[in-house]
Amino acid sequence: MRYIRPLSIEDAAGLLAGSAGTAAILAGGSDLLVRMKGGFIEPDLIVDIKAIDGLGEIRETAEGFSIGAAVPCAVLGESKALKKAWPGVVEAAKLIGSKQVQGRCTIVGNLCNASPAADSVPALVAAGAKAVVVGPGARRTIAVEAVPTGPGKTSLTKGEIIEAILLDKRLPRSGDAYLRFIPRTEMDIAVVSVGVNLMLDEQGRVKFARLALGAVAPTVILVEEAAEVLIGSKLDEATLERLAKVCSGACRPIDDKRGTIEFRRKVAGVLAKRAATTAYARAGGK
């Protein structure tokens, strides 16, 4: 096993592309090291990206925020500007693991681990976040929802690495929220999760909306019909009931020891109503 700590994103991509065996990226390591210790993976090459300039930083620009691939979730929670602009995204990131894990885990690692129940992903999808992908000699920006393709699988090709997550500048009269259901009070995997992002017009009606469901399909689902239900409303009870019905119908869950299909569909509707109500209030709705 080789361990290499490159100083540039281009070198990291080159190492991954040139690896003859199994290669893994190390940022926080909260997924990788657990899998290695459990004997599920034994990489021939580990590329540690923490020394790469900029990857451990949150940068605020005129366009919004750039969150480096090696930024720990605990740091997201300490960023007042990010928390004010995108509270739902920060809420989701702060639910990943324990306080100790928070000091290491990253939202990019959470995304690339490609778990359908990943906490940060529904919030990022609802927020319309983008991923900056760097490969050998190429750079592209894609929607976050285009990264996971199934449980444990991503659309990234050999040699590609996510450099940063981009969030747009928060516009006036807008807000987001994230909620999940878990069997325990903390440190558990989502049985169902919902991310909502809303923008209101001057009359307090929803003019733009995105809603994403987690843990109810092989990947996070962007429910476009839910946005259609919300747009033009002030989130009256009839609208919320239609929203719940649409979200329950959009689920493609499985039966397992943590929840039945029927239960997950019901909870998806309930959480969608609650998350939408919170996002609406944060956007200034009454």
Side-chain angles (χ1 to χ4, degrees), residues 125-138:
V125 171
K130 303 288 191 301
V132 180
V133 182
V134 177

Side-chain angles (χ1 to χ4, degrees), residues 2 20 37 46 61 68-69 76 79 96 146 148 154 157 164 167 177 179 198 208 245 248 257 265 277 283:
R2 292 190 300 152
K37 188 172 183 178
I46 294 177
T61 67
L76 268 64
S79 172
I96 302 171
T154 73
T157 61
L167 289 166
L179 288 174
L198 302 174
F208 171 82
K245 185 176 180 180
S248 294
K257 63 182 180 181
R265 284 177 173 159
T277 301

Side-chain angles (χ1 to χ4, degrees), residues 110-116 118 121 125 140 142-157 160 162 217-221 252:
N110 197 226
L111 173 64
C112 292
N113 192 46
S115 166
V121 181
V125 171
R140 60 194 178 106
I142 61 175
V144 160
E145 57 266 33
V147 176
T149 58
K153 299 178 180 179
T154 73
S155 61
L156 302 179
T157 61
E160 287 192 322
I162 293 180
T219 62
V220 169
I221 305 173
R252 304 194 305 274

Side-chain angles (χ1 to χ4, degrees), residues 16-271:
L16 294 169
S19 173
T22 303
I25 298 169
L26 174 63
S30 57
D31 286 314
L32 175 62
L33 297 182
V34 170
R35 294 173 64 197
M36 288 174 63
K37 188 172 183 178
F40 299 106
I41 184 174
E42 189 173 340
D44 300 292
L45 170 67
I46 294 177
V47 179
D48 186 341
I49 63 172
K50 291 191 291 296
I52 297 175
D53 186 44
L55 263 62
E57 300 175 5
I58 300 173
R59 296 175 177 173
E60 185 176 4
T61 67
E63 291 75 33
F65 294 88
S66 174
I67 304 170
V71 175
C73 289
V75 175
L76 268 64
E78 294 171 355
S79 172
K80 292 182 179 179
L82 182 63
K83 191 173 181 178
K84 181 179 179 180
W86 293 101
V89 172
V90 175
E91 283 170 344
K94 290 178 68 177
L95 289 173
I96 302 171
S98 64
K99 288 186 177 180
Q100 294 89 337
V101 170
Q102 283 279 307
R104 304 298 296 176
C105 67
T106 68
I107 56 172
V108 172
N110 197 226
L111 173 64
C112 292
N113 192 46
S115 166
D119 277 309
S120 68
V121 181
L124 289 171
V125 171
K130 303 288 191 301
V132 180
V133 182
V134 177
R139 182 184 296 266
R140 60 194 178 106
T141 301
I142 61 175
V144 160
E145 57 266 33
V147 176
T149 58
K153 299 178 180 179
T154 73
S155 61
L156 302 179
T157 61
K158 185 177 176 63
E160 287 192 322
I161 180 173
I162 293 180
E163 180 181 44
I165 297 294
L166 305 180
L167 289 166
D168 289 340
K169 181 179 179 180
R170 176 57 88 187
L171 298 175
R173 297 188 298 276
S174 59
D176 70 327
Y178 174 80
L179 288 174
R180 69 175 184 179
F181 174 83
I182 58 174
R184 303 188 299 182
T185 56
E186 61 181 339
M187 290 200 307
D188 208 340
I189 300 170
V191 177
V192 180
S193 59
V194 181
V196 180
N197 180 32
L198 302 174
M199 183 176 178
L200 312 182
D201 63 18
E202 293 181 356
Q203 287 73 45
R205 296 184 179 88
V206 178
K207 65 182 292 186
F208 171 82
R210 281 173 69 94
L211 184 149
L213 298 173
V216 294
T219 62
V220 169
I221 305 173
L222 179 63
V223 188
E224 295 182 358
E225 191 178 350
E228 295 172 4
V229 169
L230 292 170
I231 291 174
S233 78
K234 289 188 175 182
L235 265 63
D236 56 273
E237 190 58 34
T239 298
L240 291 173
E241 287 301 322
R242 290 198 300 273
L243 176 67
K245 185 176 180 180
V246 165
C247 290
S248 294
C251 297
R252 304 194 305 274
I254 60 171
D255 279 317
D256 62 19
K257 63 182 180 181
R258 303 179 59 251
T260 64
I261 291 173
E262 182 181 8
F263 178 76
R264 283 187 161 106
R265 284 177 173 159
K266 176 67 175 178
V267 173
V270 173
L271 290 184

